[in-house]
Amino acid sequence: MHPDLILLSARLLDPLTGGLLPHSALAAGGGRITALGDDREIRALAGPATTVIDVRGAVVTPGLVDGHMHPLSGAERTMGVDLSGCADLDAVRAALAAEARTLAPGAWLRGWGLDPNAFGDQPVGTAALGDVLADIPAAIDMFDAHSMLASPRALELAGIDGPRRFAQASEIVCDAEGRPTGLLLEDAACELVEAVMPRPSAEQVRERAAGVLREMAAAGLTAAHAMDANGDSLALYSALESAGDLTMRFRVAPWCQPGADDETVAGLVELQGTGGGLWKVAGVKLFMDGTIDNGTAWLERPDCHGESTHAFWPDPDVYTRVIGDLHRRGVPTATHAIGDAAVRHALDAVEKARAEHGAGPRHRVEHIETVPDDTVRRFAGLDVAASMQPTHCTEYTRADRTDNWSRRLGDERASHGFRCRDLWDAGAKVVLGSDWPIAPYSPTGIMAGARHRRPSGDLSQPPNGPAQALTPLQALQGYTLTPAWIAGEEDRAGRLGVGFRADLTVFAENPLTVPDTDLAELPVVLTVTDGRVTHRAPSL
């Protein structure tokens, strides 16, 4: 059998050692690497249908895997005006006004990526925006996707005129007179507005998702762990694959929300392993808290506003029972846990499940934004992976602690923020990702942030927590070896070897030797998923 693909004149990088393999070429067929060798012997394997690419000394790594993102819901969320680059309220107002001028009468304005730091010392609410949204139904996702800013007209259409109680930790933020400010915290509150606003058609979402996936492939991504399966997303994965538009592999974890009964949990178990050639349901996503910026995290002591004192699950013991049930059935879990109390409880639940049912599947905790030393040390002993997003630190917090996140936590807990290196050094498996659309998905940008700990927009700024920086090799392993370990696929993914997946990312230069501050701009010249070229630079 002739190979489907041959790469010649390559430098093959081993992410285990950081060194180059003693080969200059590889062949792939049937989605696997079938041979490694020198150019002459590998070229001799080519048949008439083999694609042969001379990469001209470029560096080949195993395909990069984003350890945490929301690809399909993110594709829909980002169809509105992008506010992620707005540093202050003037910029926010200008962007919203420009978008409003394009709308037909009565049409909704959608926005995303709004950073609470843009509000400075003013409360986050529509009052700070002036009259830019007057009479316009608008729904603006805050950057964390755990909160929304709804205009007065949107609140009216949703029937929101005051506070409400929810079955999960959600809130309609109101002023002293009980009038909504426009800020909605967490899913249950946001869903009130989402229920009445128009949605794009399935075809519009499919086209948008296909375009996003092409852009992700061009950035070097070959796979991702998708942390939701809401709405029709499983059908959308299938449609994208049928159309040849699925340029990445996806490991999908549907949500288990508070209030889930035994039947709901059983349904999530039944979904496991379903999927297609490049995607499958593998795991369950749960939430232990919200976010520090919103005051909805779960901290062991209140934040500086007296908030972040409660779990997302009204009864955390129910969460513990669900984790035990899923563990017993062999289902891996991923728990959103940002505050120290949330992370501690998630680890406690895994520890209890392992004590009662044995080692079981590999679990993970997402985000881990502030934890004390004793919590850091527990991850390795429980075989729980630490899923980290370095650019949440570098893009949304500052070394001088003037940002909203740091002001809410105070110096002591902010100094324990985003402890990537401490977790690594304590033996935890650290997987890196973007949480897109919360932050940009560029893997080189995220690996760069993990290395230099500076904001991408101003690399002259001092690093935030430089002791938590990862080495170049650790950052690369967080995109290759660790995702394979989490998936239980370390024998067939994450490395370059015969029999391993033909998922490849090809860089113009060695990502381990490029300076930290230049890494984000390192060109990706070729991306291959399952032996299929999904991106090829004009230079090749």
Side-chain angles (χ1 to χ4, degrees):
M1 293 287 292
H2 296 296
D4 302 317
L5 176 69
I6 285 175
L7 302 186
L8 302 173
S9 304
R11 290 180 284 166
L12 307 181
L13 181 58
D14 180 6
L16 182 63
T17 66
L20 297 176
L21 297 174
H23 312 291
S24 62
L26 65 78
R32 302 280 176 171
I33 296 173
T34 56
L36 298 172
D38 62 32
D39 283 16
R40 183 176 179 179
E41 61 186 334
I42 298 301
R43 187 191 293 272
L45 302 175
T50 302
T51 299
V52 180
I53 303 175
D54 186 331
V55 300
R56 304 172 189 174
V59 176
V60 181
T61 72
L64 300 185
V65 180
D66 189 307
H68 182 127
M69 68 157 54
H70 305 272
L72 302 189
S73 61
E76 182 174 344
R77 283 183 180 276
T78 56
M79 293 174 80
V81 58
D82 182 0
L83 302 173
S84 62
C86 297
D88 55 38
L89 284 174
D90 286 342
V92 174
R93 294 186 195 105
L96 293 176
E99 182 72 6
R101 288 193 290 271
T102 70
L103 298 176
W108 280 67
L109 186 153
R110 292 302 319 275
W112 63 280
L114 180 55
D115 187 342
N117 287 304
F119 287 76
D121 294 330
Q122 295 192 51
V124 177
T126 54
L129 301 178
D131 60 0
V132 67
L133 297 179
D135 302 321
I136 296 175
I140 301 165
D141 288 328
M142 302 300 291
F143 86 98
D144 59 6
H146 281 252
S147 52
M148 172 188 290
L149 204 57
S151 69
R153 178 59 176 153
L155 295 176
E156 180 184 359
L157 291 172
I160 299 173
D161 56 9
R164 296 189 192 181
R165 296 183 65 85
F166 298 98
Q168 57 184 241
S170 296
E171 181 183 358
I172 298 168
V173 178
C174 296
D175 61 20
E177 284 73 41
R179 295 171 300 202
T181 66
L183 182 60
L184 307 175
L185 303 179
E186 300 300 335
D187 287 343
C190 295
E191 286 169 359
L192 297 175
V193 170
E194 291 169 348
V196 298
M197 68 188 189
R199 304 291 293 271
S201 68
E203 181 59 24
Q204 288 173 322
V205 175
R206 195 199 68 77
E207 289 181 2
R208 166 66 177 157
V212 167
L213 295 183
R214 286 192 295 271
E215 294 168 0
M216 289 179 174
L221 287 171
T222 65
H225 296 174
M227 290 295 159
D228 61 50
N230 300 326
D232 298 325
S233 62
L234 297 184
L236 181 52
Y237 282 115
S238 182
L240 287 165
E241 185 166 42
S242 295
D245 290 329
L246 203 61
T247 60
M248 297 165 58
R249 297 181 192 275
F250 288 101
R251 179 178 171 88
V252 184
W255 287 359
C256 180
Q257 295 275 39
D261 56 18
D262 291 344
E263 183 178 355
T264 300
V265 174
L268 291 169
V269 174
E270 286 294 315
L271 275 177
Q272 302 302 306
T274 61
L278 288 176
W279 68 276
K280 68 174 181 177
V281 176
V284 170
K285 170 77 179 296
L286 305 96
F287 293 82
M288 202 63 248
D289 65 353
T291 69
I292 287 166
D293 282 286
N294 281 343
T296 56
W298 187 19
L299 298 172
E300 293 179 340
R301 302 189 317 275
D303 67 17
C304 295
H305 294 199
E307 298 176 334
S308 284
T309 57
H310 300 291
F312 186 66
W313 288 64
D315 183 353
D317 288 341
V318 176
Y319 161 88
T320 300
R321 290 199 295 273
V322 171
I323 291 291
D325 193 13
L326 292 170
H327 179 88
R328 176 177 58 83
R329 300 182 189 211
V331 179
T333 63
T335 297
H336 169 117
I338 280 179
D340 47 13
V343 177
R344 189 184 302 278
H345 192 88
L347 294 175
D348 287 346
V350 171
E351 185 171 42
K352 186 174 189 294
R354 287 167 61 94
E356 293 176 351
H357 306 296
R362 292 168 179 171
H363 302 285
R364 47 191 286 172
V365 175
E366 312 300 310
H367 310 310
I368 317 165
E369 293 188 4
T370 177
V371 288
D373 292 345
D374 64 323
T375 301
V376 167
R377 292 190 292 266
R378 296 181 65 193
F379 278 81
L382 294 171
D383 260 354
V384 173
S387 175
M388 307 292 288
Q389 298 75 44
T391 46
H392 287 198
C393 171
T394 60
E395 300 304 315
Y396 303 120
T397 72
R398 294 291 177 266
D400 64 7
R401 310 271 168 79
T402 58
D403 59 278
N404 180 62
W405 184 92
S406 299
R407 293 199 310 269
R408 275 188 170 271
L409 278 181
D411 283 350
E412 178 193 354
R413 283 182 291 194
S415 69
H416 289 88
F418 304 95
R419 301 180 68 177
C420 299
R421 185 58 176 267
D422 287 346
L423 283 157
W424 196 292
D425 289 348
K429 295 290 195 300
V430 177
V431 60
L432 301 183
S434 63
D435 200 13
W436 187 82
I438 311 308
Y441 52 71
S442 166
T444 52
I446 293 161
M447 288 190 290
R451 288 161 55 169
H452 60 57
R453 304 279 291 198
R454 292 177 166 91
S456 61
D458 186 358
L459 294 174
S460 68
Q461 291 291 319
N464 191 352
Q468 299 305 322
L470 297 180
T471 68
L473 182 57
Q474 288 169 341
L476 179 62
Q477 290 175 344
Y479 263 91
T480 53
L481 296 178
T482 311
W485 180 87
I486 288 175
E489 297 173 343
E490 59 265 47
D491 61 340
R492 56 192 182 275
R495 298 189 66 183
L496 301 177
V498 174
F500 279 67
R501 284 179 179 158
D503 294 354
L504 312 167
T505 303
V506 185
F507 295 100
E509 298 293 340
N510 190 333
L512 300 185
T513 58
V514 169
D516 297 347
T517 52
D518 295 340
L519 178 61
E521 303 305 319
L522 177 61
V524 173
V525 297
L526 189 73
T527 309
V528 177
T529 297
D530 200 40
R532 177 169 68 100
V533 174
T534 56
H535 163 70
R536 184 172 180 175
S539 60
L540 295 183

